[in-house]
Amino acid sequence: MKECTVRECTIIKEKLTDLKEYKVADRFKDLKKEQKVEMLKRMFQIRYFEMEVEQFILKGQIYGTCHLYIGEEANAVGAMNAIRKNDWIVSHHRGHGHCIAKEADLKLMMAELIGKGNGYCKGKGGSMHIADMDTYNLGANGIVGGGMGVAVGASLTNKLKKNDGVVIGFIGDASTNNGIFHESLNLASVWDLPLIFYCENNQYGMSTPIIKSTRIKRISDRKASYNVKGVTIDGNNIVDVFNTVSHFAEVCRKGEGPVLIEALTYRQRGHSKHDSQVYRTKDEVEQWKEYDPIVRYREFLIESGIISEDEAKKIEEKAIEDIKAAAAFAEASPYPDLSELETDVYAD
Amino acid sequence: MKECTVRECTIIKEKLTDLKEYKVADRFKDLKKEQKVEMLKRMFQIRYFEMEVEQFILKGQIYGTCHLYIGEEANAVGAMNAIRKNDWIVSHHRGHGHCIAKEADLKLMMAELIGKGNGYCKGKGGSMHIADMDTYNLGANGIVGGGMGVAVGASLTNKLKKNDGVVIGFIGDASTNNGIFHESLNLASVWDLPLIFYCENNQYGMSTPIIKSTRIKRISDRKASYNVKGVTIDGNNIVDVFNTVSHFAEVCRKGEGPVLIEALTYRQRGHSKHDSQVYRTKDEVEQWKEYDPIVRYREFLIESGIISEDEAKKIEEKAIEDIKAAAAFAEASPYPDLSELETDVYAD
Amino acid sequence: MSELTYLEAIRDGIREVMKEDERVFLIGEDIGLYGGSFGLTNGLFAEFGAERVRDTPISEAAIIGASAGAAVTGMRPILEIMFSDFTACGMDQLLNQAAKIRYMFGGKAKVPMVLRTASGGGAGFGPHHSQSWEAIFAHIPGLKVVMPSCPYDAKGLLISAVRDNNPVIFLEHKVLYKNKKYAQEVPEGIYTIPLGKAEVKRQGKDLSIVASSYMVQKSLEAAEELSKQGIDCEVVDLRTIRPLDIDTVMASVEKTGKLLCVEEACSFGSFMGEVITQVIEKGFDYLDAPPIRIAGKNCPVPYSYILEQEMIPNVDRIKDGILKVLGKN
Amino acid sequence: MSELTYLEAIRDGIREVMKEDERVFLIGEDIGLYGGSFGLTNGLFAEFGAERVRDTPISEAAIIGASAGAAVTGMRPILEIMFSDFTACGMDQLLNQAAKIRYMFGGKAKVPMVLRTASGGGAGFGPHHSQSWEAIFAHIPGLKVVMPSCPYDAKGLLISAVRDNNPVIFLEHKVLYKNKKYAQEVPEGIYTIPLGKAEVKRQGKDLSIVASSYMVQKSLEAAEELSKQGIDCEVVDLRTIRPLDIDTVMASVEKTGKLLCVEEACSFGSFMGEVITQVIEKGFDYLDAPPIRIAGKNCPVPYSYILEQEMIPNVDRIKDGILKVLGKN
Ligand SMILES: Cc1ncc(C[n+]2csc(CCOP(=O)(O)OP(=O)(O)O)c2C)c(N)n1
Ligand SMILES: Cc1ncc(C[n+]2csc(CCOP(=O)(O)OP(=O)(O)O)c2C)c(N)n1
Ligand SMILES: [Mg+2]
Ligand SMILES: [Mg+2]
């Protein structure tokens, strides 16, 4: 796989390859081929899903706003493949990727995004609130950091029920400056909860580079405040992501959590629907694109002889088809019935 | 001065003397005798003030609750003597000591405590809210951590006005688990604000030992999350306190703040007016009393020939007198006029 | 059946639901060995152990968030926020997360949690420990808000709140906690009082007083005193303010034609504004005098006893209000 | 004098106060180079520099707290909370600290700060970005709450808010921001509109509509449409809801005898309950029909356009309300 040899990303001054200091077992190599292929498929699904969303944006069908995950796919897919189907996750505003990686129904997602009544939230949530209890996904969130407390609670449930479930709370780099991050990780630490905070450090919170919103070199350094385990990894390398999360999921299942993982990655698009991107150069974006996680993983699979060029193409085409079908389904779906407006406020 | 040679306090397993790793210059020795004496006087004032408050409690004159500072006097007095009169401080619910050390009027404090109309807050605040703009004291606070944001703002004012003022935010050990601690110190760090968070680690937050509410060995370890300077000191040794705060106040004035100081200390009384203290042993309290900060400083001054036994006695007696006068003043003062109830809500 | 204070009755209710349902657990600051700031959870730590009676750091946001997360994944937390004013530190987790999860998820999740907290003034705790914030909580769709006025109700409502499948804010009045004057015979074991049902605590024909929590007690006192002058007040205890049992209120107002609302919160923007507005919308013609609100003054709750008593409605002010509605002063 | 949108007018006001008073500075997330989430502060960073236009981390509590601390020590911060829903993350610093410092300190301090924030729905941002929380803010003594309805008012009120010596919550309606339909001639330079003064935006004799912010615009539209049917509505724009200019409201109600309150917030526990309650207390006899509230439905603000439009009052619902108050349907 192509390594980020010369990357001087916005936050770290050393090379991504220097991140190898934290050694975990290579469990990826033991995976069945199907799963390795499945991972590529999901990455493509996310990529094409988001590109389809861009089309909906252009057509004016995305009301309000939404946040695309393009460029960050290795994180969601790598992490989700390292945990079990019935392990809970909590996502954030940039949540489509987590949702898809957790095997949500693409059709219901797309329907929600364009405000249809059969979408995941019956059109009540939209992009920033898609949740899917069936795939153990506790939802995106409109409040930066808002899901962190919920993630602590889900992992507390595991502990109280004495099962060996683990919870991943996906969080953004900039969200770690919010008080709830501190309270949540501290509480999880005091109670040894099986919780992984997986921080997708895509270098920016909206327009603000992380180096301007905090003075630390690595977000994972914040582990010191809670005496928990933590590490910084290359979040554009799905093999690293998979191996690291596999390792720490085990740590958590043994009662030695929580854990703070920082994954260096990059969002290739603007922050949200409207973003003139004055805060970064085209050059920076282009440089990061060279380390596109899908390109890297695809090449890696081919180079290591796991799949052929041809298979790769087929996987990609199938993903495109899946997305087209989801989009068609969404467009053909009905808008919510007005009688639904005031339902679902209270449970019986 | 008597050192805490065998102390195994609730939080640290090493001896307090081991804290000497962080070397700062001994500026204390260069102080004029008057100031050294003044420091002892203030410590006595605080001690006797609080003992007088205990009497008011017994007489049923303290309405609601209040939190006594007995045993922690070296912190307030040492720190306040290391900064300037026009440096702002922000205090917390256990605030009488800070107030007195900042040279508030004892009479107006006592009047406030028993709800009199000429008290510092006209009886509107009580123990948890005494503030004194004249001595640059931004007040106690009923919300644990509530004053931290305000402290950041005060130091931001210094920066914006380009003066070389420094701000001390006094905080409790347990308050550092609140989100506002994290946000405040991070923001202060990003802006290089001249702010010292002075954490009085008295081992407990109400009934909860700090070792149960966080998993770190030292609270000052949290400096790592913000890339700021920090240190843990013996908070029952006023010379250490003075020297450390002097040093870091200079650091802040040079624009190299903020700083997190953790001072190990102990509250000799219960948490508040009502506290059965089931959570600790009498023995633990007695052990800490051997390291009473006033006894230690008094002995130190005498042993090093700075004052005589006799002078020490006079200083103590004068403090007792001051407090008696304050109590008498307070008792003789009138209750607030009912017409004052709805004033002071808005400024013109 | 034994005579319990308000605090003891709530504790009793907690114990009952913990025995009946192992998904129920407690979470809060100093609620374990220490028994909570008011001693309400005394003994529960010994009885149920550290797993189910969980002391926390001072982290209101995480406490509320963790409760919501535990609730949505199958548990039934009862969390204690020591003083209701401190909910401000976890307001996002409460108003934006817990309250909205069900709706945002399109009805596919439920969040059964009870946030117990000490509300109200009158105990000298000053501006940060004495507020009455029911108007804030009740304004948020997704939350239920309960304000018991007496031990019997408190236990029955607590049990209902824990069995309810929604986030419930359970506002306990700190002045009622240990006051022997308001102690009551409280049945042992489980019994429930439905959320959303008001109760007429005193029958009367001249005027309807609507109140909740401690103000019910003060209103009953005022009614009793004025009954000696032949004034016959009805006292409606809302018990739950969201859902609001406006039917019981309307029935009373229809009978008496007069309405006095009594509440401790600052009057400006208060919850009783909602009650009056609904009564007016639904029963303008029943009323033969303008309804009046007796409420807290529009300032923070001051510390000094004399000021605090002036800030909060007392029996005399309520009596004045009654006379005013009746046109007698 | 030039034609400005609401957003441009507010920016213009900010620029004016920054020029006039060097104690004024801006603090908030992405307000610098990026110009804020809605572009409102565009250009101010270039004009005033990084010292006075301060980008912050995502730390609402610290932003609000730091503003209060700066204010009490002599500065005049204008802070931006991107969406008003996010104030929940800093609620303690706002309701317990900023609002109460003066009172708690016995009147010896003042806290001149303006918290600007985008409020309201109608832009498809969903449950966490669309709420109308004026009832919450207005309930807290110590806070002032401003809700401008048009560019001219917005600029004048902003300048007054910054000159005011109290914490002011300045609720900007995100749907008004860039809407050219509501652009207005706005004078250059400094001018002020006093806080606490309502304005009659349309004279009429049949009925008084009381509204604020965007709902004033919708009410004016409804009034215009019904005028074709000979119905003559007066529209009172509260402009500031705390202090509330109840006199102007009463004068209008005295004239028309009828009251319709229009607001976007969820109706249950809403601010207009306060207005109706005060009107009833003070002018029960003026009214010859029960006042009605047209408000948001009692649910979170949904994402889907069709649902969102149903949740928020629209011109048709306002017209229905008018007819209902007039007994015409
Ligand atoms: C409490 C809160 N503050 C501000 C926002 C506005 N906002 C939405 S996303 C975002 C940036 C988040 O950055 P990060 O956590 O790094 O996630 P990313 O967008 O980079 O994936 C901001 C400021 C919000 N939604 N919630
Ligand atoms: C936000 C908040 N939560 C809880 C409380 C109740 N409370 C008051 S003091 C205290 C303990 C504080 O401990 P620490 O910060 O260590 O200060 P100490 O009392 O030990 O001086 C608690 C829990 C409060 N006042 N505010
Ligand atoms: Mg980011
Ligand atoms: Mg402590």
Side-chain angles (χ1 to χ4, degrees), chain A residues 88 120-122 124 129 131 133 138 141 143 146 149-150 153 157 160-161 183 187 191 341 343-348, chain C residues 51 54-55 57 59 61-62 65-66 69-70 73 75 92-93 97 102-108 142-143 165-166 242:
Chain A
W88 291 102
Y120 262 118
C121 321
K122 303 185 187 165
K124 293 173 177 180
H129 300 284
M133 298 296 284
L138 290 168
N141 214 299
I143 302 292
V150 173
T157 294
L160 287 167
K161 289 192 173 167
E183 294 192 6
L187 186 59
W191 288 345
L341 175 62
T343 63
D344 302 327
V345 179
Y346 292 97
D348 289 333
Chain C
E51 277 294 288
R54 307 187 74 89
D55 271 334
S59 306
T73 50
M75 305 301 291
D92 171 63
Q93 297 291 310
Q97 310 301 332
R102 181 174 178 75
Y103 191 82
M104 295 186 308
F105 288 19
K108 283 168 199 137
L143 298 181
N165 282 323
N166 297 285
R242 185 166 191 159

Side-chain angles (χ1 to χ4, degrees), chain A residues 172-174 200-205:
Chain A
D173 49 293
E200 298 169 317
N201 180 354
N202 62 7
Q203 318 306 325
Y204 293 90

Side-chain angles (χ1 to χ4, degrees), chain B residues 72 92-94 171-175 199-206 208 210 267 271, chain C residues 58:
Chain B
E72 309 186 32
H92 54 66
H93 59 284
R94 197 176 302 287
I171 63 180
D173 48 294
S175 78
C199 177
E200 299 169 317
N201 180 355
N202 61 9
Q203 319 305 326
Y204 293 90
M206 199 166 285
T208 309
I210 184 70
R267 70 165 150 74
H271 166 70
Chain C
I58 305 180

Side-chain angles (χ1 to χ4, degrees), chain B residues 134-154:
Chain B
D134 292 338
T135 58
Y136 292 80
N137 175 356
L138 290 169
N141 214 299
I143 302 291
V144 167
M148 295 184 195
V150 173
V152 173

